[in-house]
Amino acid sequence: MTTSQVQNMRLIEAGHIVGNAKEGGRFQICAIKAGVSLNGNYYSDEVLREALPLFNSARVLVKSDREHTSTTGDGVDVRNVIGKLEKVSFIEGAAPDTGAVHAELVLISPGDAISRKLKDACDRGLNDTFGFSIIACGQVQPKVVEGRNVMSMERIITIESVDLIVHPAAGGELIKMVEAQKQNTTAQQKEINMSDNTQSKDEAVQAADTAATEPKKKDEAVKEDNKKKKDSPTEQPSEQKAEQVVATESVRRMVETITYSVTAVAESGLPEIAQQKLRKAFETGTWTREGIDARIAEERDYLAKFTESGKPSGLGGARASVLEDQTEKHSDMWGHVFDDETEEHVSLKEAYIAVTGDQKVTGRLSESITTTTTGIVDLIGAALGKRLLKEYKIPDQYSVWRSVADVVPVNDFRERHVITVGGYSDTPVVNEGAKYQSLTDPSTEKSKYQVEKHGGLADITFEAIKNDDVGLVRRIPRKLAQAAKRTLAKNVLSVFSDNPDITIDGKKLFHTDHSNTGTATLTAASLSAARLKMLGQQEPGEKDTLGVPPKFLLVPFALQEKAYNLFKRTTNQDKTFVQDWAPTILPIWFWDDADAWFLVASPKEIPCLEVGFLDGKQEPEILVQNDPRSGSLFTNDKITYKLRHIYGVGLVDYRGLYGSIPA
């Protein structure tokens, strides 16, 4: 955020009453103190001195805390106005940037309930019962103060109001109640403050004379000013004023949006590196409140995916101080530990010590049991998860299932019902002036399946770190990724070798009633015959032929060479029919039957296999057991990570599949 961007800052200033209260409607308050507020905003002495004229005559309103923090102007009502500020001054502090803005709060109705409540609190020493919050517009920019990232107020532009609330947060004070002020009605004098016992009668009379002549001087000044305005030719046309009103409203909305985003990010509890990313995204001021909340929730959910508890502990909140400045550096270090392709050598022990400070790798981290220990398991979990996803996405022999199956998202663990819809009959001719006839509704078939959890646990032991066994640690994400991919592929491709019952009709997948099975060995002739059977499959409930050819030939490794040679040219340069057809050969590594082979149509034409992933998440996830006071981290000196992969495989049609299973 640049200094040219305007941001609406809500400054919640703490307050209490000091001294003995008497009747009257004037209270001495501290409007704001210099330094860093609890909201993470920074105010220098210089900025507050320059803003003194803005505090003078500022309206004071009574609001609820909810109304005060609202960006829609809640509580801005004439019935909520209780007074204004006068006699504003700057009080120097004992050190630079520790000063404060003081003022007198002048109440409109000195005898009303608010005034009495303030007076009673003053009499009883309950000075911290009330707080004041200043709503102001100003120019801000990010800054580091005493090692803390803050938003520094570079200039206060306007003071919209000073609100009397319950829960303040940033440093103002309601100091005392000014003693009752008497009026000299016979001389028509203004109020004279008689609280100072050292003031002489002559000084009081002189002050009264000055007060008596002050209204006349003000009236003359106002008349002169009105005359100048009347004679001035620079009066803006109404159209220009209207444009300025629109522009001002746009700036106000932008200011409110940026204000909300800064407050929401500061209160999110996310790590500083995540907050910086969010502040940069929100600095345009074009977001809505709902959009800001959704984006923060998205960032929190992303970080939570790496922990067993579902909370990004060790990366934010009370633990942020440990990792705030070094998170990115430590994250890169652990990323290199798991990356066997990097040219940068990183010691496992070095990365451990950088995070924990445990120079001798003792594993005794009790002094930092909620910070350092949790920080390292989270960092390792994030690096391991990142590397696992990279390994998982590398195509290999375990990826062949994607060619023959359709992928869909699934919302929950309940049974998923899939409806296969047949085709309509041929459309008849409609003669001139004749009525269109209704087509026969297509037949349907229903299949069902449900998703299941797959996964397991993996450990990084204290001994592996102590021995600096980088090679062992680097193999973990690759082996986890392979295990997840291999298991998924077997679940999909086993439907061919296992020939299970299907929920459509309760019969075997490859069944004579389905016209999709045979017992011939793999030859050019048997392949052509199987192709004709698939082309002759009919739609559900209808006699219309689908005419969809096979696209893939699935074979065990034992048949891979034979299948390849079927489509290879010999000395005859003219292709045979089978050679010209040439389906894609997909060898399956785990099939035991050396003679069985299968044909599959394109899933885009006949979807037969459906793989549903919970919430559409196709990749496995890594979760860390991140409570150092329990579990394997406490009892076994090892960090345990859980691999979780949730999906289900459904057989939704048989017409695009053919299996030849020799006896």
Side-chain angles (χ1 to χ4, degrees), residues 25 47 56 168 201 228 243-244 258 290 468 580 644 651:
V47 168
N56 203 38
K201 292 182 179 180
K228 290 181 179 179
E243 291 177 358
Q244 290 180 349
I258 297 178
E290 293 76 12
D468 205 11
D580 189 60
R644 186 168 67 190
L651 280 163

Side-chain angles (χ1 to χ4, degrees), residues 335-376:
H336 291 315
V337 167
F338 286 105
D339 188 0
D340 55 4
E341 298 175 1
T342 182
E343 296 179 357
E344 182 174 343
H345 172 72
V346 177
S347 164
L348 178 61
K349 187 181 297 186
E350 177 189 354
Y352 168 86
I353 294 173
V355 178
T356 65
D358 183 13
Q359 296 291 334
K360 296 184 179 180
V361 193
T362 64
R364 294 190 293 272
L365 305 171
S366 58
E367 293 181 0
S368 306
I369 199 165
T370 60
T371 54
T372 307
T373 309
T374 310
I376 192 169

Side-chain angles (χ1 to χ4, degrees), residues 414-470:
R414 291 178 294 184
E415 281 189 345
R416 171 175 168 80
H417 295 264
V418 183
I419 306 298
T420 302
V421 181
Y424 289 95
S425 58
D426 294 342
T427 56
V429 174
V430 180
N431 295 324
E432 183 180 353
K435 180 181 178 181
Y436 282 83
Q437 302 299 314
S438 297
L439 299 174
T440 303
D441 290 335
S443 299
T444 59
E445 293 176 345
K446 183 169 68 174
S447 58
K448 59 184 179 181
Y449 71 95
Q450 59 191 110
V451 300
E452 299 173 319
K453 290 189 294 184
H454 301 262
L457 304 178
D459 303 318
I460 296 179
T461 64
F462 167 69
E463 288 81 0
I465 297 176
K466 185 73 172 179
N467 297 334
D468 205 11
D469 197 343
V470 178

Side-chain angles (χ1 to χ4, degrees), residues 291-346:
I292 291 170
D293 292 339
R295 180 65 185 86
I296 292 175
E298 179 184 343
E299 186 70 17
R300 183 180 293 109
D301 291 343
Y302 171 75
L303 294 176
K305 290 178 181 178
F306 295 112
T307 66
E308 173 70 17
S309 63
K311 299 178 181 179
S313 58
L315 296 178
R319 303 183 175 105
S321 59
V322 177
L323 301 175
E324 186 172 284
D325 297 327
Q326 297 295 328
T327 298
E328 189 171 3
K329 176 184 176 182
H330 293 165
S331 179
D332 289 342
M333 291 182 69
W334 279 101
H336 291 315
V337 167
F338 286 105
D339 188 0
D340 55 4
E341 298 175 1
T342 182
E343 296 179 357
E344 182 174 343
H345 172 72
V346 177

Side-chain angles (χ1 to χ4, degrees), residues 39-40 142-145 147-151 262 265-280 299 303 312 314-328:
N39 288 332
K143 191 174 184 179
V144 177
V145 177
R148 180 181 176 185
N149 292 310
V150 299
M151 298 301 293
V262 171
V265 170
E267 296 175 353
S268 66
L270 292 171
E272 181 57 31
I273 190 171
Q275 291 192 30
Q276 289 176 2
K277 181 170 71 173
L278 291 173
R279 283 196 292 265
K280 183 174 180 60
E299 186 70 17
L303 294 176
L315 296 178
R319 303 183 175 105
S321 59
V322 177
L323 301 175
E324 186 172 284
D325 297 327
Q326 297 295 328
T327 298
E328 189 171 3

